[in-house]
Each structure stands twice: as C-alpha cells, then as structure tokens.
Amino acid sequence: MVTARLTIDPHFTVGPINRRLFGSFVEHLGRCVYDGLYEPGHPTADAEGFRQDVIDLVKELGVSTIRYPGGNFVSGFRWEDSVGPVGERPRRLDLAWHSTETNEVGLHEFSSWLEKVGSELMLAVNLGTRGTLEALDLLEYSNLPGGTALSQQRIDNGRTDAFGVKMWCLGNEMDGPWQLGHRSAEDYGTLASQTAKAMRQLDPSVELVACGSSSAHMPTFGEWERVVLSHTYDDVDYISCHAYYQEKNGDLGSFLASAVDMDHFIDSVVATADHVKAVLGSSKTVNISFDEWNVWYLDRYENVDKIEGIDNWPVAPRLLEDAYSVADAVVFGNLLISLLRHADRVTSASLAQLVNVIAPIMTEPGGPAWKQTTYFPFALTSRLATGDALDVKLEADSYETAVYGTVPLVDAVATHDTATGATSVFLVNRSQSEPATVTIDTAALGAVTVREAQTLADADTSAKNVLGDPERVGLSATEGIEVRDGGLTLTLPPVSWTAISLG
C-alpha cells in the first residue's frame, strides 16, 4: 500500500488563479475547425454553420481564453484572406500541415463562435513570413473603433464594434527549424521588440506574448529565453512555454511522472526571466503563457499522419486525432496540477487543442460529438479551482523512473477561495499496481465537509472513449472518504486522478 500525507493551510498561498489558466487553442489544422466546430450540414448546425453539440461541450468544459489561428499555421497565414465576403476569399496552401485552407471560417466567424461559448480571443500574428506592418494592420482592423480605412473595412464586413482583442502572440515557435520564417533568438528578439513597440503605439492596452522555447528539450532552451527577453523584456507581458508528453517504449512509469518535467520547465523559465529582470534593473515581472500543452503522440504523426507530395493538398484531413486512454488522462490531470502549482507565474495557459486535433472533444461528420478521457480532468478542475493556489506540504512514498529518477507516487495541489470558503484538492496516484492511502490535514480550515469528490480510474488503464463506445470511461464518485476532526483519509486507485471539493 502506498501512503501519503498532505497538509492544507489557506494562509500559505502560491498566488491567485487567473481564469486564463483554463484556456485552449484552435488552429486551422486537420478537422479542428472544419468538421469540428464548423459543419454547416450537421443536424445540430446553427444559422452560421457551427455545431451546437460542440458549443454545448465547450461551454461545459469551461475554457476561458482561446488562442487562434495557430500554431504553425500562423507563420504562413495572410490575415486578409480570412475577412470579407466568404465567397470571395481565396483558397491557400497551408505549408505547415500540407493542406488547403478554404478560409470559410475567419476572424469574424470565429469571434462570433467565441461569443456563443463565452470565451476570450487570444490572437497570434505572423512573424514568420510577415512582420511589423502586417501585425499593425491586423491590430488596427481588430481594435480601432473607426475613422480609418482598415477599421472601416471591418465595419463594412459586418462588424461595427471593434473586436477589442487584448492578448496577442508575437509569432509562434520561432525557435523551431520547422517553422516558416524560423529565426535565431537574436533576430527574433529584435523583430518581436520592434513589433511590440509599434503595437503599443497603436493600442497601449494590449498584452503581448513573446515566443519562448517550443520544448524544454530544444538545444537552444534557456539561452533562447535569455536572448529574446534581453530584447523584449520591457515590451512584453509574457514569455511562452510549449510542452507535449507521450508514453515512449512502454515506459508507463516515466510517462506518469511527466509533470516533473513541466515543473522543471516552468521553474527554469521563471529563473531566466528573473535573471534578465535583474540584469536590466527592471521593475516589472514577465509571467508565463503556457499556451501549448497536452499529451500528444507525435511519433504517430511522423509515421502515419504526415501528408507529403506536391499534388496532395487535402482540405481538413484527419490529422493528430489521438484517442486518449485513462493513463493519458491521469498524466493530463497531473499537468493541470503543475500549472496550478505555479499559478503565481503561469497566469495564462492554452490546452492544445480543443476539437478533434489532440483534443478533449471529438466529432464525426454528420454524427455525434463526444468527450475524450482528458475532458473530465479539465472540466472539473476549471470548475473547482478558484481563488488562490495553495503551497501544500506533501509527504509521499516514491518510486524510480528511467527518465526522471526518484519521483513521489502521489502528487497533489490545493486551492482555496476566501470569498466562498471552498477548498479543492486535486491528486494523482502514479502507482501502476497499488492503491494509495492519503491523509489530508485540514485543521487550518476548521470543520470541513465533502461537497463533491470524483475520480477518474479504470482497471484497464488503456481504456478509451471512441466513436463505437463514446462513454466507456468517465468520472465516478470517490468512495470511502473518512472525515474526522482536523482531516480526512481516502484511498486512491492505481493510476488515478481525483478532485475533491471541501466546504
């Protein structure tokens, strides 16, 4: 039997939880947009062609800010293609994913969809094949109320009020050799600084995200952040992090400990940003936008999905449609724990992506939409994690991993909302064979009751929700919680994720 002890004290806080931590990402990639959120012929489609069943699932998921339109896609994107009469928009080649973009859904349509689901737009500008002037044009089109040619063009295209976009990404993964317009840290930092300064001249209220490393395992990691921030520190609000995880070579033990890598990634970027702050003598603090994170079986894309050939440019092909297992969802939930644990510095994050493409929501053309296993930890954490993230004291048995060394078998984080008095606890048991008995010291909270407790687990850790069996895996009530004065005890099944709401 695995044992762990957790102490919760609302006086010891990490920082307030920004709702933007529960953001997501929609890229013009595969079937994310077309046949995903947009399918005019679907039985549930509304007047604009958006699937109502998907809208309902997105609202239940509880996503806040949604990053758009990429991703690698944005580095070859001409934003002008996505506005104006739909029938007159050009079809373009998307070199990033070797596909054809029809531009049926563009800035106006996507903004309308965001209003339906109640999410905020986070817009990326192309600093791959384009630059400062095009970014300024898009900002003027989007945010200026009127009085200029571009703002009038927006009005003529049917949008009288400005879009009022606050968050802007200055390009995407510019450290990656795969990226159109890939640059050195020096060149990108110079361009990002110039673009940021120009955008603030037009709209001083914008919040800007500089590209950090696309992985903590990039050969330029660390030095990239240092150089880019040396150029942009006083011009931007965020530096981005991107991270994806997958089980490799049957090493489930290391995969279950993926949050250890995310913790290290965040801590390293924070240290680098604060180093640049000290060197520059700056009074501001640059935070992290972890605007791409998920479980992604990248090897499958390279070996199975990848499209090639000069005469092969399909529209909305099936790409990156990973079906997620219980084990994937437990790792996913643990990544959410890592993000909450760093709520003082990670104040924006985007689950990549939202529909069909490595996504919590799947659809079939003309057919149903359903929840993947990863849907459940995100929806429940988004709903329960309010107020402040707490600095909890955790003591747990450990195990050895091939990749990360000695790792605790139980991981956890807690949140506390002083306004409502609600406290939430999120836990994972990484053991593949043993249940974990966890004792939670709640004496500092006073008398508590369990408002809600749900667990994601299954005897078959490879079980998935798929088209033929879309409800195979779900949440179940957490059984056997013993509440006593000053604490509670519960048992976590092997390879499980649990959320508890206390009042």
Side-chain angles (χ1 to χ4, degrees):
M1 175 72 75
V2 176
T3 61
R5 182 176 180 83
L6 180 67
T7 303
I8 299 174
D9 190 330
H11 297 97
F12 296 97
T13 61
V14 173
I17 299 166
N18 193 311
R19 284 301 306 167
R20 285 176 174 168
L21 199 66
F22 303 106
S24 191
F25 179 28
V26 167
E27 181 173 1
H28 282 254
L29 192 178
R31 296 194 309 121
C32 185
V33 176
Y34 308 112
D35 285 349
L37 56 93
Y38 177 80
E39 188 184 342
H42 192 270
T44 71
D46 64 17
E48 294 183 275
F50 293 115
R51 289 181 57 150
Q52 186 62 49
D53 56 352
V54 172
I55 290 172
D56 293 341
L57 287 174
V58 172
K59 290 170 70 174
E60 182 185 341
L61 189 63
V63 294
S64 53
T65 303
I66 299 182
R67 185 169 172 249
Y68 177 84
N72 293 350
F73 172 81
V74 80
S75 290
F77 179 54
R78 292 175 252 196
W79 72 266
E80 303 92 334
D81 292 346
S82 74
V83 300
V86 174
E88 298 176 9
R89 295 178 192 174
R91 294 165 65 95
R92 300 285 191 189
L93 296 182
D94 168 24
L95 301 185
W97 303 106
H98 208 88
S99 306
T100 297
E101 173 55 48
T102 66
N103 286 301
E104 292 171 73
V105 173
L107 178 58
H108 288 252
E109 293 80 16
F110 188 68
S111 294
S112 176
W113 182 83
L114 286 172
E115 292 173 0
K116 299 173 193 286
V117 300
S119 298
E120 175 191 6
L121 176 60
M122 178 182 183
L123 204 54
V125 300
N126 179 356
L127 291 188
T129 55
R130 309 189 90 182
T132 302
L133 178 60
E134 291 83 2
L136 279 174
D137 286 349
L138 178 55
L139 176 59
E140 182 180 330
Y141 183 93
S142 301
N143 284 12
L144 200 70
T148 66
L150 285 169
S151 60
Q152 185 60 49
Q153 183 183 352
R154 181 197 69 244
I155 294 169
D156 293 343
N157 286 336
R159 176 82 180 206
T160 301
D161 295 332
F163 292 108
V165 182
K166 289 298 182 185
M167 289 195 73
W168 296 78
C169 300
L170 300 172
N172 175 75
E173 292 187 352
M174 299 307 298
D175 65 320
W178 58 84
Q179 200 73 210
L180 283 171
H182 162 63
R183 291 172 169 82
S184 67
E186 189 76 30
D187 289 345
Y188 169 71
T190 300
L191 176 60
S193 176
Q194 291 172 349
T195 304
K197 286 182 171 68
M199 292 178 73
R200 289 198 191 281
Q201 280 185 257
L202 197 163
D203 184 351
S205 71
V206 294
E207 299 174 50
L208 302 176
V209 184
C211 289
S213 292
S214 51
S215 164
H217 306 288
M218 293 292 290
T220 54
F221 172 59
E223 182 65 4
W224 173 274
E225 281 77 5
R226 185 193 69 80
V227 172
V228 168
L229 286 174
S230 295
H231 284 281
T232 64
Y233 196 90
D234 288 327
D235 303 317
V236 302
D237 305 282
Y238 299 90
I239 184 82
S240 72
C241 291
H242 291 181
Y244 295 99
Y245 299 95
Q246 64 175 316
E247 181 180 345
K248 296 183 178 181
N249 303 315
D251 185 2
L252 180 57
S254 293
F255 178 50
L256 288 167
S258 295
V260 172
D261 182 80
M262 179 179 268
D263 287 338
H264 175 72
F265 192 179
I266 294 169
D267 292 341
S268 299
V269 174
V270 166
T272 302
D274 289 349
H275 165 74
V276 175
K277 175 181 180 178
V279 169
L280 296 178
S282 178
S283 60
K284 69 178 287 189
T285 297
V286 168
N287 287 322
I288 290 175
S289 176
F290 215 121
D291 49 40
E292 287 189 32
W293 70 272
N294 203 347
V295 173
W296 176 15
Y297 286 87
L298 180 59
D299 293 346
R300 176 174 171 258
Y301 167 71
E302 293 291 343
N303 298 325
V304 178
D305 287 351
K306 195 169 185 178
I307 301 168
E308 297 176 307
I310 187 64
D311 58 349
N312 186 21
W313 299 89
V315 174
R318 291 181 182 263
L319 291 175
L320 282 59
E321 297 193 12
D322 289 348
Y324 290 123
S325 68
V326 170
D328 294 329
V330 171
V331 171
F332 180 100
N334 204 169
L335 298 177
L336 281 166
I337 288 173
S338 177
L339 293 173
L340 287 170
R341 188 160 41 229
H342 295 90
D344 58 329
R345 297 302 293 271
V346 181
T347 55
S348 177
S350 304
L351 165 63
Q353 295 187 15
L354 187 58
V355 183
N356 286 331
V357 175
I358 53 172
I361 299 170
M362 297 299 293
T363 72
E364 188 65 17
W370 68 95
K371 303 172 182 178
Q372 291 236 59
T373 59
T374 54
Y375 185 98
F376 303 104
F378 191 101
L380 199 52
T381 305
S382 176
R383 178 164 61 85
L384 296 181
T386 60
D388 295 306
L390 300 183
D391 185 8
V392 300
K393 181 181 179 182
L394 176 65
E395 300 171 353
D397 295 339
S398 60
Y399 72 114
E400 292 299 317
T401 69
V403 177
Y404 305 113
T406 304
V407 171
L409 279 161
V410 172
D411 196 14
V413 74
T415 65
H416 180 73
D417 193 334
T418 56
T420 64
T423 299
S424 297
V425 188
F426 305 93
L427 310 105
V428 294
N429 178 11
R430 294 165 171 159
S431 173
Q432 299 177 53
S433 57
E434 298 293 327
T437 298
V438 182
T439 301
I440 304 177
D441 184 342
T442 61
L445 296 171
V448 299
T449 59
V450 177
R451 294 178 173 178
E452 180 180 0
Q454 298 194 64
T455 293
L456 180 73
D458 197 279
D460 179 5
T461 60
S462 65
K464 304 172 181 179
N465 292 344
V466 295
L467 179 60
D469 194 2
E471 298 182 358
R472 168 66 179 83
V473 178
L475 295 170
S476 60
T478 307
E479 299 179 349
I481 299 178
E482 299 179 12
V483 181
R484 63 186 190 285
D485 290 342
L488 55 95
T489 301
L490 71 156
T491 300
L492 309 177
V495 189
S496 64
W497 175 90
T498 295
I500 306 170
S501 175
L502 304 174

